[in-house]
Amino acid sequence: MFKRSRKTLLFLSMFLMLFSVIAPTLDAAAAGDPADLADPAGVSAYAGDNGNSGAGQPEQSKPPSFSDIKTHWAYNEIMELAAANIVAGFEDGTFKPSGKVTREQFLKMLVELRKLPHASADVPFKDVDPKRWSAPYIAAGLSNGILLLADFPDGFKPSQPITRYEMAVWIVRALQLPPQTEENLLGQLKDQASLKLNRDLIEAALQSGIIQGYPDGNFKGGNNSTRAEAAVMLVRALHYSPGQQPASTPGGSRKIVEYKPEVKQSKSTDYSKRDAVTWVIKDPNLKLNVGDVFVLPPNDKYYGGVAKKVVSLSKENGALVVKTSVPKPREVFSKLDISTTEAINPKMLKPIDSSVTIKANEVAAQSTSVTLPCMNIGMNHAYVQGVTLDANMNFCNLGVKADIGLDIDIDWFDIDLDFYSSLVLIGDVTTNVHVVADTGNGALNEPKMIPLTTPFYVPVFTGVFVKGQLFLRIDPDFRATIVVDFNDKFHLEEGFSLSSGNGLHQINNTTNTAALNVDTKANASLAAGPDVQLTLTLLDIAYAGIDLYPGIKAGYYRNYEQGRCDAIAVDAFLRLDVIAGYDVWVASDDFRKNVVDANYRLFQYDLNCPPPKPPGNLKFQLSGVRGTAGKYNEVIINRTDVQLSWDAVGDAASYTVKRSESPGGPFAVRRANLADTKYKDTTAAIGKTYYYQVTAVNENGESIPSNTIKVAVTMQPPPAPQNLTAVRGESGVVLKWDDVGGLVGYDVQRADGTGTDFKTIAANVSGTTYTDPSTSFIRGFSYRVTAGDRGGISAPSNVVYVPKENIDIIDTVPIHLPDVGQIVLLPVPGNFDATTNVGSGKVVLSWTAVKGATGYKVMRSTADNGNFETLNAKVSGTTFTDTTAAIGARYYYKVSAVNDSGAESKATAVKSAVPGYGIR
């Protein structure tokens, strides 16, 4: 048995990407403040702004009448700003509410709204001419702190569309609102991380209510705003007072209906429908011709009346027999503007049968815009196809907000609509349901729509009404037994709106509190909640409606076999279908679309969780390792490592590597608690064969083993030498590289220029340096080095390039010297090295021969920069063994070349060595 309660259902903020709208509230209109912003057509429609000439328009003595906003949702705000000479219209008498707004236009409106002085046109921006119409307003914005120079390093760009981010910052500065460092609202926005600057000002703008986030939880600071939306925000700023939200302009109830003069109106209720297009009318005073539009009043069958267009007509027994088509609302009405809130009175509701009871009282559950009576609808131990339920639903303040009127023709979801409509269900609903479902041997997975009332009608105006019906909907999906008790409380304000000016718009102010108990041990789920179906109808020629199903779903979900935990989960959900079209009775152009299928997880308890899946793609790579160890480097390391890798497992916390010398095991753990997906086994013996497995581990246990791989360990070549360098020296190009370790020799390779045709110029070099004495100073060369031993030849080192020398050519003057004999300059011996012979323990010196030398002087010291003694003044060969060095002491050596004339070269670089015995 599990129980969970959660308030203020967050998923309801995702609700209702709905169908259509007239006049959404100010909060709804600017809740997304989206749209593009650029100066329309090149002629701005703001007072005093002329984007072509730069001249201001004269102030108007009375507010203009704009031809394109009479039914627009921002009509009141636009007219208020026009009356204050803050905005104006276009020369053709329009306002173009969907047009774009530039930086200079919005700044001018802010300056006018704050009544800031703007006599100076001195602006520091290079892209703003002092003669430009907006220069005084830009100067006023800078001097009053609305604009900061640091915000515009590349110029002001006055005709650039203003963004929502800029509008919010400018408004806060203009109103001098205090910055808000606690991000109570900004921190809730999904895209708040994208707002890098002025976050304290954005928070202040959000707290003021002048600008708000989108219904999807984003701020979208880079989006632009339409002229209408800018007007709404400016009116909010105009009416803003600290400590309270700006009040919306009160709309009140309006019911304006005027038929066109040519529409024929009958007063007779004696009419009937013969077929889809034929009506029989008994009204001797009704005179019709083909093409006429006529209206019939409501009667007992056609609750809202009928409006039709005559296609053909005849008489039959004194009655008119009229074949008809459906007229568009503009063919019927010259004026249509209805906005009202109507109660759904318990007296309108009749139980569907005797199993349903409806009781009413006059106590409202909470204060709303309209106080409506409460009603209780109950079911007692009702049985519906395998489901036994007791239900008690209490509806308080239940009503509808309805708007309908004429609009310009638009093509919406392939339906040509010329009317706008808005329908919102309001009220407080408490649902208590106890469900016991036992399918026996069969599955139960079909939705159950249990009608609670007969259809009811809410009158709005003559010919305009809302048709509704209440249901209890049960959605089961199980094959065993499930018992669910839940208490579900909704404060509803859900609906849709559509108009050409505002398009698809969400109307959502719903909160939810839910608590439930679930008792099941099978793979089962059950959802339940009230289902409300409402349709707003204009005569019988146009309609728009909703099918709203909010509720709770609880169930036990068996996932173990799919590698996931079993779960007991509780979800709150809302599903909304929208319908619209013409001709209620024929519905030839009707539209139905699911616009919301939102689900929010209230609670989940995981149990019976499986261990992770085994790692996949286990593979290996062998790598040779060389080195020395011991106090005197007497231990030579020559081994092969096994590098393992595998694919990550999503829910693994760690991995365990196991090894065996037999394919059937047993496998011993080599390493546990590995966080990485790689492991290097440094204990593998050359010449042996091993078998490896890897398992994944988490809190639920250890996976089955991965695939088993077989690894035959063989000697590998040494690693490639690293960090090869080359520089030109006095004796040639000097190469140096890092020792790879062990008893290896190095091959030095050279290529001409930057080519790749490398040839070996020195083989089995014992040290980590080599001087190439044969290079030409007028050519460049490339070098690389490989290491080799009985394991093979390594990959080559990095390639280094030595460019040719830069030689300056100068004019020479012959100098005549006295004949003092031939002067011979000897070069420095190359490739000098000092190594220890591990067999004898002696230090062996070696170098390359020098042309013209008859011997070599060998010198030794006990310090790198100490005094060097001569061990041999004239060694005839290119090697020398120091037999006097003490074992374990470090000595320093250098060599120079000499000849019989007494000439001596410079000494080589100093090399050091430690005599000692090694172990192979």
Side-chain angles (χ1 to χ4, degrees):
M1 184 78 69
F2 299 89
K3 187 169 184 177
R4 182 75 175 192
S5 178
R6 185 159 183 161
K7 295 186 177 180
T8 312
L9 254 184
L10 298 180
F11 87 100
L12 289 169
S13 65
M14 300 158 43
F15 280 175
L16 308 173
M17 297 199 51
L18 300 178
F19 172 66
S20 62
V21 63
I22 175 176
T25 63
L26 285 178
D27 289 338
D33 303 329
D36 292 334
L37 271 173
D39 193 12
V43 180
S44 65
Y46 293 90
D49 172 0
N50 188 313
N52 287 334
S53 67
Q57 298 174 1
E59 293 189 358
Q60 302 173 12
S61 59
K62 61 179 182 179
S65 177
F66 304 122
S67 61
D68 57 344
I69 66 165
K70 291 181 179 178
T71 60
H72 195 275
W73 57 269
Y75 173 84
N76 292 332
E77 291 79 12
I78 294 169
M79 295 307 296
E80 182 173 352
L81 294 181
N85 271 331
I86 296 175
V87 300
F90 287 82
E91 294 177 356
D92 61 0
T94 63
F95 182 76
K96 294 183 172 58
S98 297
K100 298 181 179 181
V101 181
T102 64
R103 284 177 170 175
E104 59 186 350
Q105 291 170 347
F106 190 76
L107 180 60
K108 182 203 177 217
M109 289 189 286
L110 273 181
V111 171
E112 295 284 7
L113 183 139
R114 293 276 288 117
K115 296 181 171 28
L116 300 175
H118 49 277
S120 172
D122 184 16
V123 292
F125 299 117
K126 293 181 179 180
D127 59 345
V128 179
D129 191 313
K131 296 181 181 180
R132 188 179 181 92
W133 70 265
S134 61
Y137 302 102
I138 298 172
L142 287 167
S143 62
N144 288 276
I146 299 174
L147 306 180
L148 300 181
L149 276 175
D151 292 342
F152 309 98
D154 301 324
F156 183 63
K157 299 181 177 61
S159 59
Q160 178 171 301
I162 190 171
T163 64
R164 280 169 50 79
Y165 163 79
E166 291 169 333
M167 293 175 74
V169 171
W170 293 7
I171 288 174
V172 169
R173 290 173 179 166
L175 296 180
Q176 298 180 347
L177 301 181
Q180 301 295 323
T181 56
E182 293 188 12
E183 299 180 352
N184 297 324
L185 298 179
L186 178 58
Q188 298 177 19
L189 297 174
K190 295 178 182 177
D191 60 348
Q192 56 88 16
S194 66
L195 300 170
K196 306 296 185 185
L197 303 174
N198 296 311
R199 293 174 64 90
D200 53 349
L201 301 187
I202 300 298
E203 176 68 24
L206 292 168
Q207 289 189 22
S208 73
I210 295 171
I211 193 168
Q212 301 172 6
Y214 281 76
D216 64 1
N218 289 294
F219 183 74
K220 301 182 182 179
N223 279 21
N224 307 136
S225 181
T226 64
R227 291 162 53 79
E229 290 159 346
V232 169
M233 279 185 274
L234 285 168
V235 168
R236 289 178 179 174
L238 183 65
H239 294 296
Y240 176 76
S241 56
Q244 64 182 31
Q245 296 289 334
S248 302
T249 303
S253 177
R254 11 176 239 283
K255 297 182 180 181
I256 304 172
V257 179
E258 291 183 10
Y259 292 109
K260 282 182 168 289
E262 60 269 25
V263 171
K264 306 292 181 66
Q265 299 183 54
S266 173
K267 295 183 179 181
S268 173
T269 59
D270 190 1
Y271 60 87
S272 61
K273 186 178 182 182
R274 178 171 292 179
D275 56 41
V277 296
T278 307
W279 294 80
V280 179
I281 306 168
K282 295 181 180 180
D283 183 356
N285 298 318
L286 182 61
K287 309 298 182 184
L288 296 177
N289 296 301
V290 174
D292 285 348
V293 175
F294 65 92
V295 175
L296 302 175
N299 64 14
D300 291 340
K301 187 172 183 180
Y302 302 103
Y303 189 85
V306 175
K308 294 296 176 184
K309 189 172 185 177
V310 178
V311 175
S312 65
L313 55 87
S314 61
K315 284 194 175 183
E316 183 179 300
N317 299 324
L320 287 174
V321 180
V322 187
K323 291 189 178 297
T324 64
S325 63
V326 180
K328 294 294 182 71
R330 284 192 175 278
E331 296 179 278
V332 181
F333 302 97
S334 58
K335 290 184 179 180
L336 178 64
D337 184 8
I338 296 176
S339 178
T340 185
T341 300
E342 304 291 343
I344 299 178
N345 196 294
K347 297 178 181 178
M348 301 176 182
L349 306 182
K350 294 183 179 181
I352 191 70
D353 57 36
S354 59
S355 66
V356 177
T357 59
I358 299 178
K359 298 179 181 179
N361 59 63
E362 297 300 323
V363 178
Q366 71 178 66
S367 177
T368 60
S369 58
V370 61
T371 301
L372 305 173
C374 292
M375 68 191 81
N376 183 279
I377 301 178
M379 300 187 70
N380 184 21
H381 209 64
Y383 182 81
V384 182
Q385 300 177 12
V387 177
T388 303
L389 59 92
D390 293 281
N392 187 297
M393 283 168 283
N394 200 60
F395 298 85
C396 290
N397 301 326
L398 196 61
V400 292
K401 294 180 180 179
D403 293 80
I404 195 164
L406 296 179
D407 201 356
I408 61 174
D409 289 337
I410 61 171
D411 185 24
W412 193 262
F413 295 112
D414 299 323
I415 302 176
D416 182 27
L417 299 175
D418 67 345
F419 66 96
Y420 66 75
S421 64
S422 174
L423 181 62
V424 180
L425 175 67
I426 59 174
D428 299 283
V429 182
T430 301
T431 305
N432 295 279
V433 178
H434 173 77
V435 179
V436 178
D438 188 349
T439 63
N441 296 324
L444 184 60
N445 50 28
E446 294 295 328
K448 312 300 176 188
M449 290 291 292
I450 305 169
L452 302 175
T453 69
T454 60
F456 58 88
Y457 300 87
V458 181
V460 174
F461 192 80
T462 303
V464 182
F465 64 94
V466 175
K467 178 182 178 181
Q469 189 169 8
L470 299 181
F471 297 82
L472 176 64
R473 178 168 174 172
I474 303 291
D475 285 320
D477 184 10
F478 51 87
R479 290 176 173 79
T481 299
I482 184 171
V483 178
V484 178
D485 289 281
F486 70 83
N487 179 288
D488 195 15
K489 296 181 180 180
F490 282 90
H491 168 63
L492 288 171
E493 193 167 345
E494 296 296 336
F496 70 93
S497 54
L498 168 68
S499 73
S500 60
N502 205 45
L504 191 62
H505 193 77
Q506 168 180 340
I507 299 177
N508 165 40
N509 291 293
T510 296
T511 58
N512 168 267
T513 301
L516 55 161
N517 298 322
V518 182
D519 185 9
T520 182
K521 295 182 180 179
N523 190 21
S525 67
L526 185 140
D531 188 285
V532 184
Q533 298 178 3
L534 299 174
T535 305
L536 176 63
T537 301
L538 176 62
L539 292 170
D540 66 337
I541 60 175
Y543 65 94
I546 59 174
D547 186 347
L548 181 67
Y549 175 28
I552 296 294
K553 181 177 182 179
Y556 184 98
Y557 302 94
R558 178 73 176 179
N559 303 315
Y560 189 91
E561 288 75 16
Q562 289 76 43
R564 294 178 287 116
C565 301
D566 291 350
I568 292 180
V570 178
D571 298 285
F573 62 85
L574 180 112
R575 297 169 195 166
L576 180 72
D577 289 345
V578 170
I579 57 175
Y582 291 109
D583 198 336
V584 173
W585 313 114
V586 179
S588 58
D589 291 323
D590 68 338
F591 158 79
R592 184 179 185 97
K593 183 175 180 62
N594 173 257
V595 292
V596 175
D597 194 352
N599 194 82
Y600 182 77
R601 177 86 9 125
L602 292 175
F603 169 73
Q604 179 170 328
Y605 177 77
D606 294 333
L607 68 164
N608 194 25
C609 296
K613 294 181 179 179
N617 197 27
L618 177 61
K619 52 188 177 183
F620 75 94
Q621 185 175 357
L622 298 178
S623 59
V625 179
R626 304 293 187 271
T628 57
K631 182 177 181 180
Y632 304 113
N633 295 323
E634 69 273 14
V635 179
I636 307 301
I637 299 173
N638 186 345
R639 73 168 191 264
T640 296
D641 290 346
V642 180
Q643 177 70 59
L644 302 174
S645 64
W646 55 90
D647 292 342
V649 178
D651 55 348
S654 65
Y655 301 93
T656 300
V657 177
K658 302 178 181 180
R659 188 180 77 180
S660 174
E661 296 184 14
S662 170
F667 284 84
V669 174
R670 291 298 311 153
R671 181 69 180 274
N673 297 316
L674 271 171
D676 201 358
T677 56
K678 295 182 294 184
Y679 171 72
K680 181 182 289 187
D681 185 0
T682 61
T683 65
I686 294 174
K688 300 194 70 173
T689 297
Y690 298 96
Y691 299 87
Y692 291 90
Q693 293 177 344
V694 178
T695 59
V697 181
N698 65 14
E699 61 184 0
N700 301 314
E702 184 177 17
S703 73
I704 61 174
S706 67
N707 58 300
T708 301
I709 57 171
K710 176 182 177 182
V711 180
V713 182
T714 59
M715 177 174 285
Q716 299 296 302
Q722 302 295 314
N723 301 317
L724 174 64
T725 61
V727 294
R728 287 188 182 272
E730 294 179 355
S731 304
V733 175
V734 180
L735 305 174
K736 294 182 180 181
W737 59 90
D738 294 344
D739 188 12
V740 301
L743 298 176
V744 300
Y746 300 96
D747 290 349
V748 179
Q749 300 174 344
R750 185 181 71 191
D752 290 337
T754 58
T756 58
D757 185 17
F758 286 91
K759 299 186 182 304
T760 300
I761 60 172
N764 201 29
V765 176
S766 59
T768 59
T769 182
Y770 174 79
T771 300
D772 181 6
S774 61
T775 55
S776 169
F777 62 84
I778 62 173
R779 296 169 57 191
F781 297 93
S782 296
Y783 294 89
R784 69 184 187 185
V785 178
T786 60
D789 60 10
R790 59 194 179 93
I793 303 298
S794 75
S797 69
N798 57 297
V799 176
V800 293
Y801 174 68
V802 180
K804 65 182 181 180
E805 289 279 11
N806 292 323
I807 302 175
D808 294 330
I809 300 176
I810 60 175
D811 294 334
T812 60
V813 178
I815 300 175
H816 299 283
L817 298 174
D819 188 7
V820 294
Q822 186 177 12
I823 299 175
V824 178
L825 299 178
L826 296 175
V828 178
N831 299 319
F832 175 58
D833 200 7
T835 59
T836 302
N837 187 313
V838 296
S840 65
K842 306 300 182 182
V843 175
V844 178
L845 308 179
S846 62
W847 57 89
T848 55
V850 174
K851 185 177 181 180
T854 58
Y856 301 91
K857 181 180 178 180
V858 178
M859 295 162 280
R860 183 181 75 183
S861 176
T862 57
D864 184 16
N865 56 356
N867 294 323
F868 281 83
E869 62 175 327
T870 301
L871 296 181
N872 193 318
K874 197 172 184 180
V875 177
S876 58
T878 58
T879 61
F880 176 79
T881 301
D882 184 2
T883 60
T884 64
I887 297 295
R890 181 172 292 279
Y891 294 91
Y892 299 86
Y893 299 89
K894 61 183 179 180
V895 175
S896 61
V898 297
N899 65 11
D900 292 338
S901 300
E904 182 178 354
S905 72
K906 291 183 178 181
T908 63
V910 175
K911 295 284 187 176
S912 68
V914 178
Y917 297 100
I919 300 174
R920 287 199 61 141

